Amino acid sequence: MTARGRFESRRRARRRALQALYQWQLTGQEADEILDQFRAAQDMTGVDDAYFEMLLRGVVADHETLDSELQPFLDRPLDHVDLMERVVLRIGAFELLHCPELPFKVVLDECVDLAHRFGSEQGHAYVNAVLDRAARTWGRVTDDA
């Protein structure tokens, strides 16, 4: 697979993970149940399925830690953040903390895009500011980045 193809399949995986995590937030369903539903009912063509599963399982399993790691960069409690932005922030935090091979700018750009497409009107700016501060504090930003 070309680098462009891999990038696009990961982008699609993030979108599906966003939808699946939104469903998890609303329903409290187990990750396994949501995975089965998505694989049966959603068009997963061109989606990096392993990455989709890693994001869903990782965020569900680690959401309390992700929330506490994000909280210092928020201007309000995380449960007061719009639900869609909350999901995007968790995906971004997960990738920043657990996927060191991903450049921080890729994580920020992808999360800002998700928030712009699916979040509230200014949600993308909020996501960008929070994840940028987090990435800098967590040592993910380098001088050449």
Side-chain angles (χ1 to χ4, degrees):
M1 178 182 291
T2 67
R4 178 86 178 136
R6 181 181 165 120
F7 179 80
E8 187 57 37
S9 68
R10 287 247 174 125
R11 173 174 276 172
R12 291 178 183 181
R14 284 184 191 92
R15 288 180 188 160
R16 287 292 183 238
L18 176 75
Q19 294 167 325
L21 288 162
Y22 186 81
Q23 179 176 329
W24 167 73
Q25 279 289 148
L26 291 176
T27 66
Q29 291 172 285
E30 296 293 323
D32 285 338
E33 187 177 353
I34 294 171
L35 279 169
D36 290 344
Q37 287 176 358
F38 266 69
R39 288 176 174 151
Q42 298 288 327
D43 179 6
M44 299 295 281
T45 305
V47 173
D48 182 333
D49 189 67
Y51 202 73
F52 162 70
E53 183 172 344
M54 181 199 64
L55 287 174
L56 176 60
R57 288 187 187 282
V59 171
V60 168
D62 207 23
H63 73 276
E64 290 176 355
T65 300
L66 296 172
D67 293 357
S68 68
E69 292 289 334
L70 283 166
Q71 191 56 60
F73 310 106
L74 303 174
D75 61 353
R76 57 189 172 259
L78 188 62
D79 62 346
H80 292 176
V81 173
D82 177 82
L83 181 57
M84 192 60 75
E85 280 87 27
R86 190 178 331 151
V87 174
V88 174
L89 287 169
R90 285 175 173 161
I91 290 171
F94 182 85
E95 287 184 316
L96 288 170
L97 292 169
H98 298 289
C99 303
E101 74 283 1
L102 291 175
F104 93 98
K105 286 190 176 195
V106 169
V107 175
L108 262 63
D109 289 348
E110 289 296 301
C111 288
V112 167
D113 181 64
L114 287 172
H116 193 264
R117 289 175 175 264
F118 301 104
S120 63
E121 188 172 328
Q122 292 301 315
H124 65 285
Y126 187 72
V127 164
N128 184 62
V130 170
L131 291 179
D132 184 67
R133 285 193 307 268
R136 291 175 190 289
T137 301
W138 297 337
R140 289 296 310 273
V141 179
T142 58
D143 290 336
D144 60 342

